[in-house]
Structures are given as C-alpha cells and as structure tokens.
Amino acid sequence: MLITFEGIEGCGKSTQSRMVLDHLQQRGVPALWTRQPGGCDLGGRLRALLLGREGDGLTPLSELFLYLADRAQHVAEVIRPALAAGTVVLCDRFTDSTVAYQGYGRGLDVSLIHRLNAVAVDGCLPDLTLILDLPVETGLTRARTRNADQGQTESEGRFEAEETAFHQRIRDGYLTLAAENPDRYAVIPAQGEPEEVFGRVWPMVCSRLGIAEHLM
Ligand code: TMP
C-alpha cells in the first residue's frame, strides 16, 4: 500500500505523515516513511541541488527532469522493494508534486508531466493521496518561520521565495487533481494544531488500510 502526502509549502504534510508512521508502528503494521526528493542516495544529492540556491539557474524543463530522475531511482531502489515486502509506504510528496509545481506552478504542459510521471514510476501508483489543504498565506508564513528557525533559508528556501501567485496556482492545481479523481485523493483541511489535523488524517488512512481507528 502506497500512501502519498501532498500540499503547498507549510501545509504540515511531513508532520502528519510522521504521525501516521508512529501510529502504524504502534499497531505493529510494517511501515516506512520516505520522501521526494531525497529518499535515496541519488535523491539526496538532487535535493541539495533542486532546493538550494545552486538550482537558481535551472530551466523549468531541466528541473522537471531532475525530479523525475529522483522519482525513478527512488521507486526502483526504495519504494517498490518495500511494497513487495508488504510494507506500507508513506511518501512525503510524489507524482502530484510535479504536476502541481512544475505543471500548474511553472506552467509546463500538465498532460506531458502525467505521461513522464507514468514512465518514471513504471506502474507504481499511490493507493491513497492525502492533500493537506490550507490558504497560501498561512502555509508560507509557517514554512518561512520554520526555515528561519532551522537556518534553511539558503539550503532549502528556493520555492518558499517564489511569489504568492505561484503558490496559489499550485494549491488550485492540487484541488483540480483531487476533483478529477475523488477515489484516489482526500482533501484534508490543514488548519489547526497537528493533533486536530491528525484527527482528520487518521480515519482516512485506517479506512484505506482496512484497520480499526482505535486500539482494541
Ligand atoms: P519539502 O520536502 O519540504 O516539501 O520540499 C520539497 C520541495 O520540492 C517543495 O518546495 C516542492 C518541490 N517539489 C517540486 O517542485 N516538484 C516535485 O516533483 C517534488 C517532489 C517536489
């Protein structure tokens, strides 16, 4: 079972996906948390390039191919073997990030991105995608505060520095994807404290995995 977590900057998907990991492990469900970009050795190197200032000169198309390279390697090296072993894989960003950011955000052809994503994942598709949705201003404020606290402005702040309209297109893009395929996506309102948001996330995960929400 592959569950992906998506959303704009500062939406809380990393916190939520790690909370899901903790809860699954407490239940004895084998689970793995991973992320894109950066969930394998090559990905770690690509992440530094893509999210740091070094990536400033990338054209939208070369940026797209680097995300796809990260994905192809990560699926082959980490995700597919884990799924084959019966592990629930929780992935912080996946194919939809490329559609939302490089497609709706940067303006590359969305149908081309769908086709290239399909090549990169070679049939490894999410069973459930949770989109953590909140207003762009709220997310950006959270993300910029977090980056400043962690001293990440130089190493990982490239997208947070983009204009508000860019992030608005990404949010709208995610909502469009969800509306097109309600079976695979759940849009979760992401405002509020982490525990409150988790109260909306956990039932979705349990229902897709066919497990009870509460410990027996
Ligand atoms: P995050 O792991 O903190 O969410 O940062 C990852 C950044 O990379 C985020 O700004 C979104 C961006 N990104 C893309 O633009 N396209 C992609 O395909 C992926 C996976 C991430």
Side-chain angles (χ1 to χ4, degrees):
M1 182 78 62
L2 173 59
I3 303 179
T4 59
F5 293 78
E6 296 279 359
I8 60 165
E9 308 301 321
C11 68
K13 63 189 169 34
S14 305
T15 305
Q16 293 301 319
S17 53
R18 287 185 179 280
M19 288 170 83
V20 170
L21 176 74
D22 285 349
H23 279 68
L24 289 176
Q25 288 179 335
Q26 280 167 27
R27 299 289 186 91
V29 176
L32 171 80
W33 181 94
T34 189
R35 69 175 177 181
Q36 290 185 357
C40 59
D41 285 349
L42 172 70
R45 280 176 276 155
L46 292 176
R47 184 177 178 97
L49 173 60
L50 281 162
L51 305 191
R53 295 260 73 111
E54 211 190 333
D56 280 352
L58 289 171
T59 67
L61 202 55
S62 49
E63 180 183 80
L64 167 68
F65 282 113
L66 292 179
Y67 280 111
L68 292 165
D70 166 73
R71 183 156 306 129
Q73 189 72 24
H74 186 222
V75 166
E77 219 175 274
V78 178
I79 299 183
R80 202 187 299 281
L83 293 173
T87 303
V88 175
V89 177
L90 308 171
C91 196
D92 183 343
R93 297 198 180 280
F94 197 63
T95 44
D96 299 304
S97 281
T98 317
V99 178
Y101 280 77
Q102 280 64 52
Y104 289 99
R106 296 269 193 240
L108 294 177
D109 181 352
V110 167
S111 64
L112 170 71
I113 296 178
H114 281 299
R115 294 202 301 281
L116 293 173
N117 264 336
V119 174
V121 303
D122 191 21
C124 185
L125 301 171
D127 298 285
L128 172 66
T129 296
L130 300 173
I131 296 176
L132 290 144
D133 181 57
L134 84 176
V136 164
E137 293 72 20
T138 316
L140 283 178
T141 304
R142 276 193 199 171
R144 285 173 184 151
T145 309
R146 177 200 59 206
N147 285 357
D149 288 350
Q150 297 175 358
Q152 283 185 344
T153 320
E154 285 304 307
S155 62
E156 294 220 338
R158 211 161 70 82
F159 281 92
E160 287 85 338
E162 290 281 347
E163 55 178 4
T164 305
F166 173 77
H167 295 283
Q168 190 61 53
R169 289 197 298 279
I170 292 167
R171 182 187 185 197
D172 294 344
Y174 275 125
L175 297 177
T176 302
L177 282 169
E180 283 168 1
N181 187 354
D183 286 346
R184 201 234 299 168
Y185 298 92
V187 178
I188 313 268
Q191 273 165 306
E193 292 302 312
E195 289 298 339
E196 211 177 320
V197 180
F198 188 69
R200 302 176 198 128
V201 165
W202 184 239
M204 300 286 173
V205 171
C206 291
S207 137
R208 191 54 61 112
L209 291 176
I211 59 175
E213 279 179 43
H214 302 285
L215 286 173
M216 297 299 169

PDB file of all heavy atoms in Angstrom, residues 9 13 36-37 47 51 67 71 92-94 97-98 101-102 146 159, ligand 1:
ATOM      1  N   GLU A   9       3.637  24.580   0.418  1.00  0.00           N
ATOM      2  CA  GLU A   9       4.652  24.784   1.463  1.00  0.00           C
ATOM      3  C   GLU A   9       3.956  25.052   2.801  1.00  0.00           C
ATOM      4  O   GLU A   9       2.980  25.797   2.861  1.00  0.00           O
ATOM      5  CB  GLU A   9       5.515  26.032   1.143  1.00  0.00           C
ATOM      6  CG  GLU A   9       6.119  26.075  -0.242  1.00  0.00           C
ATOM      7  CD  GLU A   9       7.027  24.907  -0.536  1.00  0.00           C
ATOM      8  OE1 GLU A   9       7.777  24.496   0.366  1.00  0.00           O
ATOM      9  OE2 GLU A   9       6.979  24.407  -1.673  1.00  0.00           O
ATOM     10  N   LYS A  13       2.391  18.422   5.914  1.00  0.00           N
ATOM     11  CA  LYS A  13       2.352  17.014   5.458  1.00  0.00           C
ATOM     12  C   LYS A  13       3.463  16.158   6.064  1.00  0.00           C
ATOM     13  O   LYS A  13       3.270  14.981   6.304  1.00  0.00           O
ATOM     14  CB  LYS A  13       2.366  16.924   3.924  1.00  0.00           C
ATOM     15  CG  LYS A  13       3.628  17.469   3.381  1.00  0.00           C
ATOM     16  CD  LYS A  13       3.643  17.612   1.900  1.00  0.00           C
ATOM     17  CE  LYS A  13       4.859  18.411   1.542  1.00  0.00           C
ATOM     18  NZ  LYS A  13       6.076  18.259   2.358  1.00  0.00           N
ATOM     19  N   GLN A  36      10.185  12.589  -1.366  1.00  0.00           N
ATOM     20  CA  GLN A  36      10.757  13.026  -2.638  1.00  0.00           C
ATOM     21  C   GLN A  36      10.807  14.551  -2.624  1.00  0.00           C
ATOM     22  O   GLN A  36       9.847  15.171  -2.155  1.00  0.00           O
ATOM     23  CB  GLN A  36       9.898  12.543  -3.810  1.00  0.00           C
ATOM     24  CG  GLN A  36       9.998  11.027  -3.986  1.00  0.00           C
ATOM     25  CD  GLN A  36       9.270  10.493  -5.204  1.00  0.00           C
ATOM     26  OE1 GLN A  36       8.625  11.230  -5.930  1.00  0.00           O
ATOM     27  NE2 GLN A  36       9.371   9.193  -5.418  1.00  0.00           N
ATOM     28  N   PRO A  37      11.864  15.172  -3.090  1.00  0.00           N
ATOM     29  CA  PRO A  37      13.081  14.496  -3.492  1.00  0.00           C
ATOM     30  C   PRO A  37      13.904  14.118  -2.264  1.00  0.00           C
ATOM     31  O   PRO A  37      13.718  14.709  -1.200  1.00  0.00           O
ATOM     32  CB  PRO A  37      13.793  15.577  -4.329  1.00  0.00           C
ATOM     33  CG  PRO A  37      13.357  16.881  -3.740  1.00  0.00           C
ATOM     34  CD  PRO A  37      11.940  16.647  -3.284  1.00  0.00           C
ATOM     35  N   ARG A  47      18.331  16.610  -4.205  1.00  0.00           N
ATOM     36  CA  ARG A  47      17.567  17.515  -3.336  1.00  0.00           C
ATOM     37  C   ARG A  47      18.372  18.784  -3.032  1.00  0.00           C
ATOM     38  O   ARG A  47      17.849  19.896  -3.105  1.00  0.00           O
ATOM     39  CB  ARG A  47      17.199  16.806  -2.025  1.00  0.00           C
ATOM     40  CG  ARG A  47      16.330  17.667  -1.113  1.00  0.00           C
ATOM     41  CD  ARG A  47      15.897  16.962   0.166  1.00  0.00           C
ATOM     42  NE  ARG A  47      15.129  17.879   0.987  1.00  0.00           N
ATOM     43  CZ  ARG A  47      13.810  17.938   1.023  1.00  0.00           C
ATOM     44  NH1 ARG A  47      13.082  17.105   0.318  1.00  0.00           N
ATOM     45  NH2 ARG A  47      13.200  18.844   1.765  1.00  0.00           N
ATOM     46  N   LEU A  51      16.737  22.282  -4.274  1.00  0.00           N
ATOM     47  CA  LEU A  51      16.124  23.184  -3.296  1.00  0.00           C
ATOM     48  C   LEU A  51      17.046  24.308  -2.840  1.00  0.00           C
ATOM     49  O   LEU A  51      16.608  25.253  -2.200  1.00  0.00           O
ATOM     50  CB  LEU A  51      15.625  22.409  -2.065  1.00  0.00           C
ATOM     51  CG  LEU A  51      14.655  21.260  -2.364  1.00  0.00           C
ATOM     52  CD1 LEU A  51      14.038  20.745  -1.080  1.00  0.00           C
ATOM     53  CD2 LEU A  51      13.555  21.684  -3.318  1.00  0.00           C
ATOM     54  N   TYR A  67      13.573  16.099 -11.013  1.00  0.00           N
ATOM     55  CA  TYR A  67      12.564  15.496 -10.120  1.00  0.00           C
ATOM     56  C   TYR A  67      12.185  14.093 -10.605  1.00  0.00           C
ATOM     57  O   TYR A  67      11.981  13.174  -9.811  1.00  0.00           O
ATOM     58  CB  TYR A  67      11.311  16.378 -10.008  1.00  0.00           C
ATOM     59  CG  TYR A  67      11.488  17.527  -9.039  1.00  0.00           C
ATOM     60  CD1 TYR A  67      11.545  18.842  -9.478  1.00  0.00           C
ATOM     61  CD2 TYR A  67      11.627  17.290  -7.667  1.00  0.00           C
ATOM     62  CE1 TYR A  67      11.733  19.889  -8.587  1.00  0.00           C
ATOM     63  CE2 TYR A  67      11.811  18.331  -6.771  1.00  0.00           C
ATOM     64  CZ  TYR A  67      11.869  19.627  -7.240  1.00  0.00           C
ATOM     65  OH  TYR A  67      12.064  20.660  -6.353  1.00  0.00           O
ATOM     66  N   ARG A  71      12.655  10.450  -8.791  1.00  0.00           N
ATOM     67  CA  ARG A  71      11.497   9.557  -8.618  1.00  0.00           C
ATOM     68  C   ARG A  71      11.794   8.158  -9.160  1.00  0.00           C
ATOM     69  O   ARG A  71      11.492   7.157  -8.499  1.00  0.00           O
ATOM     70  CB  ARG A  71      10.282  10.180  -9.334  1.00  0.00           C
ATOM     71  CG  ARG A  71       9.004   9.396  -9.188  1.00  0.00           C
ATOM     72  CD  ARG A  71       7.796  10.297  -9.366  1.00  0.00           C
ATOM     73  NE  ARG A  71       7.889  11.418  -8.461  1.00  0.00           N
ATOM     74  CZ  ARG A  71       7.758  12.701  -8.812  1.00  0.00           C
ATOM     75  NH1 ARG A  71       7.477  13.021 -10.058  1.00  0.00           N
ATOM     76  NH2 ARG A  71       7.900  13.653  -7.920  1.00  0.00           N
ATOM     77  N   ASP A  92       6.285  11.348   1.471  1.00  0.00           N
ATOM     78  CA  ASP A  92       6.089  12.786   1.601  1.00  0.00           C
ATOM     79  C   ASP A  92       6.430  13.411   0.242  1.00  0.00           C
ATOM     80  O   ASP A  92       7.596  13.533  -0.086  1.00  0.00           O
ATOM     81  CB  ASP A  92       7.049  13.256   2.712  1.00  0.00           C
ATOM     82  CG  ASP A  92       6.936  14.734   3.040  1.00  0.00           C
ATOM     83  OD1 ASP A  92       6.381  15.477   2.228  1.00  0.00           O
ATOM     84  OD2 ASP A  92       7.441  15.125   4.103  1.00  0.00           O
ATOM     85  N   ARG A  93       5.435  13.694  -0.534  1.00  0.00           N
ATOM     86  CA  ARG A  93       5.461  14.156  -1.932  1.00  0.00           C
ATOM     87  C   ARG A  93       5.753  12.985  -2.882  1.00  0.00           C
ATOM     88  O   ARG A  93       6.553  12.108  -2.595  1.00  0.00           O
ATOM     89  CB  ARG A  93       6.489  15.261  -2.193  1.00  0.00           C
ATOM     90  CG  ARG A  93       6.222  16.540  -1.422  1.00  0.00           C
ATOM     91  CD  ARG A  93       6.976  17.714  -2.034  1.00  0.00           C
ATOM     92  NE  ARG A  93       6.723  18.948  -1.297  1.00  0.00           N
ATOM     93  CZ  ARG A  93       5.635  19.699  -1.426  1.00  0.00           C
ATOM     94  NH1 ARG A  93       4.707  19.366  -2.287  1.00  0.00           N
ATOM     95  NH2 ARG A  93       5.468  20.798  -0.714  1.00  0.00           N
ATOM     96  N   PHE A  94       5.070  13.062  -4.040  1.00  0.00           N
ATOM     97  CA  PHE A  94       5.251  12.035  -5.078  1.00  0.00           C
ATOM     98  C   PHE A  94       4.872  12.677  -6.413  1.00  0.00           C
ATOM     99  O   PHE A  94       5.080  13.894  -6.594  1.00  0.00           O
ATOM    100  CB  PHE A  94       4.390  10.801  -4.708  1.00  0.00           C
ATOM    101  CG  PHE A  94       4.738   9.522  -5.422  1.00  0.00           C
ATOM    102  CD1 PHE A  94       5.978   8.929  -5.264  1.00  0.00           C
ATOM    103  CD2 PHE A  94       3.808   8.886  -6.245  1.00  0.00           C
ATOM    104  CE1 PHE A  94       6.309   7.735  -5.918  1.00  0.00           C
ATOM    105  CE2 PHE A  94       4.110   7.700  -6.898  1.00  0.00           C
ATOM    106  CZ  PHE A  94       5.360   7.115  -6.731  1.00  0.00           C
ATOM    107  N   SER A  97       3.234  16.249  -6.830  1.00  0.00           N
ATOM    108  CA  SER A  97       4.025  17.470  -6.614  1.00  0.00           C
ATOM    109  C   SER A  97       4.551  17.997  -7.945  1.00  0.00           C
ATOM    110  O   SER A  97       4.617  19.204  -8.163  1.00  0.00           O
ATOM    111  CB  SER A  97       5.221  17.204  -5.686  1.00  0.00           C
ATOM    112  OG  SER A  97       4.818  17.167  -4.346  1.00  0.00           O
ATOM    113  N   THR A  98       4.931  17.078  -8.824  1.00  0.00           N
ATOM    114  CA  THR A  98       5.469  17.513 -10.118  1.00  0.00           C
ATOM    115  C   THR A  98       4.369  18.127 -10.982  1.00  0.00           C
ATOM    116  O   THR A  98       4.577  19.127 -11.666  1.00  0.00           O
ATOM    117  CB  THR A  98       6.140  16.325 -10.849  1.00  0.00           C
ATOM    118  OG1 THR A  98       6.909  15.610  -9.892  1.00  0.00           O
ATOM    119  CG2 THR A  98       7.040  16.804 -11.954  1.00  0.00           C
ATOM    120  N   TYR A 101       3.634  21.584  -9.048  1.00  0.00           N
ATOM    121  CA  TYR A 101       4.691  22.609  -9.056  1.00  0.00           C
ATOM    122  C   TYR A 101       5.226  22.902 -10.462  1.00  0.00           C
ATOM    123  O   TYR A 101       5.300  24.045 -10.881  1.00  0.00           O
ATOM    124  CB  TYR A 101       5.858  22.181  -8.146  1.00  0.00           C
ATOM    125  CG  TYR A 101       5.601  22.443  -6.684  1.00  0.00           C
ATOM    126  CD1 TYR A 101       4.757  21.614  -5.945  1.00  0.00           C
ATOM    127  CD2 TYR A 101       6.192  23.504  -6.030  1.00  0.00           C
ATOM    128  CE1 TYR A 101       4.514  21.852  -4.595  1.00  0.00           C
ATOM    129  CE2 TYR A 101       5.960  23.751  -4.675  1.00  0.00           C
ATOM    130  CZ  TYR A 101       5.130  22.925  -3.969  1.00  0.00           C
ATOM    131  OH  TYR A 101       4.890  23.157  -2.640  1.00  0.00           O
ATOM    132  N   GLN A 102       5.648  21.835 -11.180  1.00  0.00           N
ATOM    133  CA  GLN A 102       6.236  22.092 -12.497  1.00  0.00           C
ATOM    134  C   GLN A 102       5.140  22.339 -13.534  1.00  0.00           C
ATOM    135  O   GLN A 102       5.340  23.098 -14.475  1.00  0.00           O
ATOM    136  CB  GLN A 102       7.132  20.915 -12.932  1.00  0.00           C
ATOM    137  CG  GLN A 102       8.531  20.923 -12.309  1.00  0.00           C
ATOM    138  CD  GLN A 102       8.526  20.766 -10.796  1.00  0.00           C
ATOM    139  OE1 GLN A 102       7.922  19.834 -10.266  1.00  0.00           O
ATOM    140  NE2 GLN A 102       9.170  21.684 -10.087  1.00  0.00           N
ATOM    141  N   ARG A 146       9.614  28.290   9.838  1.00  0.00           N
ATOM    142  CA  ARG A 146      10.349  27.037  10.058  1.00  0.00           C
ATOM    143  C   ARG A 146      11.747  27.114   9.437  1.00  0.00           C
ATOM    144  O   ARG A 146      12.741  26.783  10.076  1.00  0.00           O
ATOM    145  CB  ARG A 146       9.559  25.885   9.418  1.00  0.00           C
ATOM    146  CG  ARG A 146      10.243  24.521   9.519  1.00  0.00           C
ATOM    147  CD  ARG A 146       9.679  23.556   8.482  1.00  0.00           C
ATOM    148  NE  ARG A 146       9.855  24.056   7.122  1.00  0.00           N
ATOM    149  CZ  ARG A 146       9.088  23.724   6.102  1.00  0.00           C
ATOM    150  NH1 ARG A 146       8.066  22.925   6.255  1.00  0.00           N
ATOM    151  NH2 ARG A 146       9.323  24.208   4.888  1.00  0.00           N
ATOM    152  N   PHE A 159      11.836  27.462  -3.129  1.00  0.00           N
ATOM    153  CA  PHE A 159      10.422  27.560  -3.508  1.00  0.00           C
ATOM    154  C   PHE A 159       9.662  28.536  -2.619  1.00  0.00           C
ATOM    155  O   PHE A 159       8.782  29.257  -3.089  1.00  0.00           O
ATOM    156  CB  PHE A 159       9.756  26.189  -3.482  1.00  0.00           C
ATOM    157  CG  PHE A 159      10.072  25.380  -4.711  1.00  0.00           C
ATOM    158  CD1 PHE A 159      11.135  24.516  -4.737  1.00  0.00           C
ATOM    159  CD2 PHE A 159       9.304  25.529  -5.854  1.00  0.00           C
ATOM    160  CE1 PHE A 159      11.440  23.785  -5.871  1.00  0.00           C
ATOM    161  CE2 PHE A 159       9.597  24.807  -6.999  1.00  0.00           C
ATOM    162  CZ  PHE A 159      10.675  23.927  -7.007  1.00  0.00           C
TER     163      PHE A 159
HETATM  164  P1  TMP B   1       9.548  19.650   1.047  1.00  0.00           P
HETATM  165  O1  TMP B   1      10.104  18.275   1.114  1.00  0.00           O
HETATM  166  O2  TMP B   1       9.944  20.499   2.197  1.00  0.00           O
HETATM  167  O3  TMP B   1       8.098  19.677   0.780  1.00  0.00           O
HETATM  168  O4  TMP B   1      10.293  20.372  -0.177  1.00  0.00           O
HETATM  169  C1  TMP B   1      10.306  19.850  -1.417  1.00  0.00           C
HETATM  170  C2  TMP B   1      10.205  20.987  -2.421  1.00  0.00           C
HETATM  171  O5  TMP B   1      10.367  20.459  -3.736  1.00  0.00           O
HETATM  172  C3  TMP B   1       8.887  21.703  -2.389  1.00  0.00           C
HETATM  173  O6  TMP B   1       9.111  23.083  -2.498  1.00  0.00           O
HETATM  174  C4  TMP B   1       8.188  21.227  -3.629  1.00  0.00           C
HETATM  175  C5  TMP B   1       9.299  20.869  -4.568  1.00  0.00           C
HETATM  176  N1  TMP B   1       8.972  19.772  -5.477  1.00  0.00           N
HETATM  177  C6  TMP B   1       8.697  20.062  -6.805  1.00  0.00           C
HETATM  178  O7  TMP B   1       8.721  21.213  -7.213  1.00  0.00           O
HETATM  179  N2  TMP B   1       8.406  19.035  -7.655  1.00  0.00           N
HETATM  180  C7  TMP B   1       8.394  17.726  -7.249  1.00  0.00           C
HETATM  181  O8  TMP B   1       8.129  16.826  -8.055  1.00  0.00           O
HETATM  182  C8  TMP B   1       8.682  17.435  -5.861  1.00  0.00           C
HETATM  183  C9  TMP B   1       8.672  16.019  -5.388  1.00  0.00           C
HETATM  184  C10 TMP B   1       8.953  18.486  -5.025  1.00  0.00           C
END
